[in-house]
Amino acid sequence: MVPVLPFDVRLPARGGGGLSHALREQLRAAVLDGRMLPGSTLPSTRAMADALGISRNTVVKAYDQLVAEGYVLPRPGAKAVVAAILPRPRPGPRAGRHPLQDPRLNPLWRTPGVRPEAPREWPERCFRLGMPDHRHFPHDVWRRLTAACLRRLSRARFGYAPPEGLPELREAIAQHVVFTRAVACGADDVLVTSGAQQAFDLIARALVTPGQTKVAVEEPGYPPLRAAFMAAGAKLVPVPVDDEGLCVDRLPADVKIISVTPSHQSPTGVAMSLRRRSALLAFARDRQAVVLEDDYDGEFRFGGRPLDALQTLDRDGLVFYVGTFSKSLFPSLRKGFIVTPPWARPALAGVKHCADSHCDTITQSALAAFIREGHLARHVRHMRPIYGKRREALLGGLRCDLADWLEAIPSEAGLHLAARIRKPPQAAAIVEAMRRCTPGAQTTSDYAMQAAPPWALSFGYGVIDAGDIGPALRRMRRALSTTQ
């Protein structure tokens, strides 16, 4: 503490040099920040030197530099004073204005639905959508593989990786999606991303002409995907979804990008019918449009054989297939991928290089080994019956306890299940009971681009135990019974 000044001055250790420079920098910052007001006197050089335990010559040198720069005015026979310069304004929003409303920002980032929102706080065990259960993940295997990657890298150069991703990870991903989803691709077709969100962003940057390109999105649909395209300057066109998926006959003729979740629609959970898949590809081919296929949790299926991916059916290089390991493994892994048509590979690699150069090498290497050694396939096989029991508990509760209010929408994949509200006039009471009794569950309105009353609820079962589902739904039934 320095008694001669109203703030601390911290100097480097004596003998290290730079004492005069450090003192000058801190005094200059205090003048600019308004901590030393215009006209206020500086301590004498002798008092300052004694307080700081440094030589008087060091203080004289600092003061002389401040005088030369105009921050301090000398006075013959008296102490120097702070010059009347404009102090630096303290950062912070203007009174009555949210920081994101500042007119200096791009108007896009002042738009609700695009600008970031604070993450919600949910109980650890709840009906939250899109969250896998980390308790069953083979952490010991991951630690071993990560340690092996670090040992290997310690004998090599810690350099920059290719923007497309490590060759061994791209090869492992290609083999994985060929085996699990019959996606026709090789390692050269795969581009590694930091999760699905970066995949959406890269595709948007590569394909969207700001203010011109129209992008069809599902309504209701995944809000972060919409945000990526809005940030790129696209014109979004909401297209309704029914029990067969995206209503292809409602697509405007001039859309150039069509975004869909055909395996497990977000948030209704329906699968796009084969008839609709064929119609969508024909629409894209006839109008020179492309399709973004988001297969976000397609690994977990509880029914028969899944329908072929759009990318599998594509014969014209129309489909960008996006996958992620956030649902099959864990979100903080931040790894996803794009299986891209050959004509778009160079552009996407260029955009990726501009965005972040490359994903982190250590995690890529560990994930490649995790897939190559069969741990991903084993983990998915292990989790499928666990999630299956939770899904059956949820279906059973909807049938037995909430049948008067909700009807389950058929779905055979993924980590969430939706239920249609039987009587729309009761929607407000049903949503209120959902919020109180099943935290984490959401409504179709939460996923809608346009304001609309909720017509269905979505319940995640990734992080809630099967034994906790029934009691929660019974609490919801009791809450609704009191409103009748």
Side-chain angles (χ1 to χ4, degrees):
M1 296 295 296
V2 181
V4 293
L5 290 171
F7 52 86
D8 289 344
V9 172
R10 300 188 182 278
L11 299 178
R14 278 184 287 276
L19 292 175
S20 178
H21 175 75
L23 176 59
R24 173 258 177 193
E25 284 294 309
Q26 293 182 61
L27 293 175
R28 174 181 175 274
V31 172
L32 290 174
D33 286 338
R35 287 176 289 159
M36 295 181 66
L37 298 176
S40 60
T41 59
L42 271 68
S44 69
T45 55
R46 191 180 306 279
M48 179 73 83
D50 290 344
L52 295 177
I54 58 179
S55 73
R56 185 183 177 198
N57 287 339
T58 299
V59 179
V60 169
K61 184 178 178 182
Y63 278 20
D64 287 347
Q65 186 65 33
L66 291 170
V67 169
E69 294 173 346
Y71 294 105
V72 171
L73 298 177
R75 294 190 302 172
K79 295 179 180 178
V81 297
V82 175
I85 63 172
L86 181 66
R88 181 190 307 162
R90 294 185 181 275
R94 296 181 184 178
R97 175 182 289 166
H98 189 280
L100 287 173
Q101 294 298 331
D102 195 297
R104 291 171 292 184
L105 293 172
N106 183 324
L108 174 72
W109 298 108
R110 293 183 266 141
T111 304
V114 177
R115 65 193 187 200
E117 297 180 357
R120 301 186 188 183
E121 292 291 335
W122 299 112
E124 184 177 4
R125 301 283 154 244
C126 66
F127 290 88
R128 184 179 177 183
L129 277 65
M131 285 295 292
D133 197 330
H134 68 88
R135 293 174 296 174
H136 300 273
F137 181 76
H139 295 281
D140 56 337
V141 172
W142 187 260
R143 283 193 295 269
R144 175 177 61 80
L145 294 176
T146 302
C149 293
L150 286 169
R151 287 195 298 271
R152 185 168 60 255
L153 286 171
S154 69
R155 298 189 293 270
R157 294 177 61 188
F158 279 79
Y160 291 99
E164 299 90 344
L166 292 182
E168 59 265 35
L169 178 56
R170 296 165 67 201
E171 180 66 35
I173 290 173
Q175 293 179 2
H176 171 69
V177 296
V178 166
F179 177 73
T180 60
R181 296 292 290 119
V183 169
C185 71
D188 290 343
D189 302 308
V190 176
L191 185 142
V192 179
T193 64
S194 295
Q197 189 62 28
Q198 189 186 51
F200 305 148
D201 179 66
L202 297 179
I203 293 171
R205 293 194 200 196
L207 300 183
V208 169
T209 300
Q212 298 182 27
T213 305
K214 289 188 176 181
V215 179
V217 294
E218 296 172 318
E219 178 72 350
Y222 188 53
L225 180 142
R226 295 197 301 261
F229 279 96
M230 289 176 69
K235 295 181 177 180
L236 299 190
V237 181
V239 179
V241 173
D242 63 15
D243 289 348
E244 289 189 70
L246 184 80
C247 297
V248 178
D249 59 346
R250 301 284 294 276
L251 286 169
D254 57 349
V255 296
K256 293 302 179 184
I257 304 172
I258 306 150
S259 172
V260 289
T261 50
S263 297
H264 187 230
Q265 202 276 329
S266 175
T268 67
V270 301
M272 180 180 279
S273 66
L274 182 59
R275 178 178 71 90
R276 291 271 179 91
R277 294 175 191 234
S278 300
L280 176 58
L281 291 174
F283 176 97
R285 181 179 59 250
D286 293 344
R287 291 164 178 80
Q288 297 185 325
V290 300
V291 177
L292 191 164
E293 179 177 14
D294 178 12
D295 197 19
Y296 62 98
D297 61 2
E299 294 93 344
F300 300 109
R301 293 201 58 82
F302 311 103
R305 181 184 179 279
L307 293 172
D308 287 332
L310 289 168
Q311 197 275 350
T312 306
L313 302 172
D314 178 23
R315 297 293 181 270
D316 302 287
L318 305 172
V319 176
F320 291 78
Y321 179 90
V322 175
T324 177
F325 297 100
S326 294
K327 308 299 185 288
S328 55
L329 297 179
F330 52 93
S332 59
L333 179 63
R334 299 311 303 144
K335 290 293 172 288
F337 59 91
I338 308 170
V339 177
T340 178
W343 58 268
R345 289 178 201 157
L348 279 177
V351 175
K352 174 70 184 305
H353 188 265
C354 291
D356 72 349
S357 179
H358 64 92
C359 298
D360 66 287
T361 303
I362 296 169
T363 306
Q364 285 191 76
S365 184
L367 179 58
F370 192 83
I371 299 172
R372 187 172 57 247
E373 295 181 9
H375 302 296
L376 173 60
R378 281 190 288 274
H379 179 62
V380 170
R381 285 197 301 270
H382 175 69
M383 294 305 300
R384 191 175 290 127
I386 295 174
Y387 291 140
K389 289 180 180 179
R390 299 174 185 180
R391 176 177 176 272
E392 288 302 317
L394 180 56
L395 284 169
L398 291 172
R399 286 193 295 261
C400 297
D401 297 304
L402 297 174
D404 290 342
W405 299 275
L406 299 172
E407 177 188 12
I409 298 175
S411 173
E412 295 186 343
L415 298 180
H416 75 263
L417 188 71
R420 185 177 286 106
I421 296 174
R422 290 185 181 275
K423 299 176 182 178
Q426 297 178 334
I430 293 172
V431 170
E432 173 61 24
M434 178 203 77
R435 304 269 191 228
R436 287 192 286 115
C437 303
T438 58
Q442 294 184 266
T443 74
T444 49
S445 295
D446 296 328
Y447 283 75
M449 181 176 171
Q450 300 171 324
W455 54 269
L457 313 182
S458 292
F459 301 88
Y461 47 81
V463 292
I464 187 167
D465 292 324
D468 295 330
I469 293 175
L473 297 186
R474 287 191 287 275
R475 288 194 297 272
M476 186 172 172
R477 179 197 64 198
R478 290 192 293 269
L480 289 171
S481 296
T482 61
T483 64
Q484 291 184 331

